[in-house]
Amino acid sequence: MAATFKNVQYLKDISGMAYMGDGTFVAVHDMKAHETKVWPRVSLLRIPKKLKTGLQWAPLNNGNVNWPTDRKIMDKDGIGPTAGPNDLESAARIPGTPYALLCESTNSKEDTPIADRIYLAEADFDSNGGSITIRTYTSFSTFTKANNVEATAIAAITNGSYLFLWAERDEAKIHWRKMTLE
């Protein structure tokens, strides 16, 4: 189900954005699992064609995103359990594709569920709005020890391979790993 763009002046807790082309960004919102479920975890943003109209926003609530259902989360208002991410921190487009990686992270190992998933999201949009389809996911813990990832980026290298880079809040180094799409 597609969400519709509407004009907006203020947005709630954006923690990352990835430019997807045609003036459109995928944005992730820094919402913990226990925060209210009515706030979106991911949105589409469109830059204005005319300054007068301002930024356009299409919030993608749980009904607009097919989050994996293998873990369930209750919010602070007792709504749930529902599927969805916990603490999305960054978004990075995979160059030359309609895909972005949406990354969770937290510095608290007491968070339930632990926030270390990396979602492969496909963005589908037009001038009216759009949707996100989660194609698969993995976790940082399957290939590294990450504590508090705050930023990610992806660079195309050779023959359909990419370099996935990430930085953690309390470190002065950038980590990377070669990746491919299968």
Side-chain angles (χ1 to χ4, degrees):
M1 180 179 169
T4 304
F5 284 115
K6 57 186 174 185
N7 292 343
V8 67
Q9 295 297 317
Y10 302 99
L11 297 170
K12 176 80 173 142
D13 292 339
I14 290 181
S15 54
M17 294 185 291
Y19 184 66
M20 302 304 291
D22 196 28
T24 303
F25 295 80
V26 170
V28 294
H29 300 265
D30 192 13
M31 301 294 169
K32 307 284 192 272
H34 66 275
E35 293 182 288
T36 184
K37 293 291 176 229
V38 298
W39 293 337
R41 284 359 189 206
V42 63
S43 298
L44 295 174
L45 302 175
R46 181 173 295 270
I47 55 178
K49 303 272 190 234
K50 298 178 183 175
L51 290 178
K52 189 171 145 181
T53 59
L55 188 68
Q56 291 187 307
W57 176 52
L60 301 169
N61 294 312
N62 282 348
N64 302 105
V65 181
N66 65 322
W67 298 110
T69 59
D70 62 322
R71 69 177 187 192
K72 301 289 185 175
I73 300 167
M74 296 289 287
D75 78 4
K76 69 177 183 173
D77 300 320
I79 298 172
T82 59
N86 180 21
D87 202 6
L88 287 172
E89 293 291 346
S90 66
R93 182 181 184 188
I94 300 173
T97 75
Y99 300 108
L101 296 183
L102 312 180
C103 301
E104 296 179 331
S105 189
T106 186
N107 61 354
S108 173
K109 296 304 176 194
E110 285 78 44
D111 271 5
T112 304
I114 294 294
D116 83 332
R117 286 191 174 175
I118 303 168
Y119 298 95
L120 177 63
E122 183 176 7
D124 182 30
F125 55 87
D126 60 26
S127 61
N128 297 315
S131 62
I132 294 287
T133 301
I134 304 300
R135 294 296 177 197
T136 190
Y137 69 90
T138 189
S139 298
F140 280 104
S141 58
T142 64
F143 62 90
T144 191
K145 182 180 179 197
N147 185 39
N148 195 5
V149 175
E150 293 289 326
T152 57
I154 301 169
I157 46 178
T158 59
N159 300 328
S161 293
Y162 301 91
L163 199 59
F164 174 54
L165 300 100
W166 68 95
E168 297 186 50
R169 174 178 285 173
D170 296 325
E171 288 190 11
K173 65 181 172 181
I174 294 175
H175 306 272
W176 64 87
R177 181 80 74 194
K178 186 176 177 181
M179 68 175 240
T180 58
L181 293 178
E182 297 176 1

